[in-house]
Structures are given as structure tokens and as C-alpha cells.
Amino acid sequence: AISADLEAARLKEAGYDSVRVQICNIINFFDIQTKPRAARINAAVIRLLERRDVWGAQLLLSRGVAKAFKKPLSSLQTGSCIFDNSSEHALYGQVARYFISTGES
């Protein structure tokens, strides 16, 4: 696997400017193609993470966990965020199964 930082560095080393690494998906393609609800959750979490709304993404996923286990949302521990928000690439590298990389030559 390649990290988002390494992917950006490889593109810059190849001579590209304005390198941008984006999340392609966070779950596997089979689930995205065959499970509409999973595809919507995938898209919603990606939108939140691209806006760096890590707490919103955690809340969305926590609601799903609470519903799946038939527990109140308040029963889940939320002392700290599960996502690494130290940098955009750290966050993307943590959650992305695949990246979309672009640059200008």
C-alpha cells in the first residue's frame, strides 16, 4: 500500500505541480456497486472528510454503529476523534482504500 504523502511526493518528483490527492473510496468497490446504502455512506463520509469535518464523519459512523447494535448513541464513547487530522494526507491515508491523484505538468 502507498500512503497519501508518498503518492503526492511521487507525482512531484515526476515533475507535476499542483498535486492533489483525493479519496476515491473507503470501502471496497463490490460493496459500493451492490449495496446502495453502503455507497451512500461511502460518499457521505468522503464528503465530510474532504471538508476536514472529522467529527461529523465520526458522528455519522457512530450513528450507524449505534443503529446496528440497537444501542443509544449516547452509549458510545467519544472521548477523542478516531481520525488523524494532523494533516490532510494523514487523514486520507488513514481511511482511503484507493486515491485519485492529479497534477499539472
Side-chain angles (χ1 to χ4, degrees):
I2 186 169
S3 72
D5 283 328
L6 185 55
E7 176 68 4
R10 287 178 6 165
L11 286 171
K12 288 178 184 175
E13 191 174 299
Y16 291 96
D17 296 320
S18 303
V19 172
R20 184 169 179 214
V21 178
Q22 297 172 267
I23 301 169
C24 178
N25 61 311
I26 59 173
I27 62 175
N28 67 56
F29 288 116
F30 178 79
D31 287 339
I32 292 170
Q33 292 296 319
T34 60
K35 301 172 185 169
R37 180 177 289 156
R40 287 192 304 272
I41 292 168
N42 181 74
V45 171
I46 289 172
R47 275 193 306 274
L48 289 165
L49 293 176
E50 285 181 341
R51 291 193 310 236
R52 305 275 307 254
D53 184 0
V54 293
W55 285 102
Q58 181 165 321
L59 177 60
L60 176 64
L61 294 172
S62 296
R63 286 179 176 158
V65 169
K67 185 175 180 176
F69 287 99
K70 296 178 174 57
K71 295 192 177 241
L73 184 59
S74 61
S75 71
L76 301 177
Q77 293 183 350
T78 58
S80 61
C81 189
I82 60 173
F83 297 109
D84 179 358
N85 200 22
S86 61
S87 75
E88 180 180 34
H89 287 166
L91 175 62
Y92 287 10
Q94 181 185 10
V95 300
R97 290 182 61 93
Y98 298 98
F99 300 116
I100 299 170
S101 308
T102 58
E104 297 174 6
S105 60

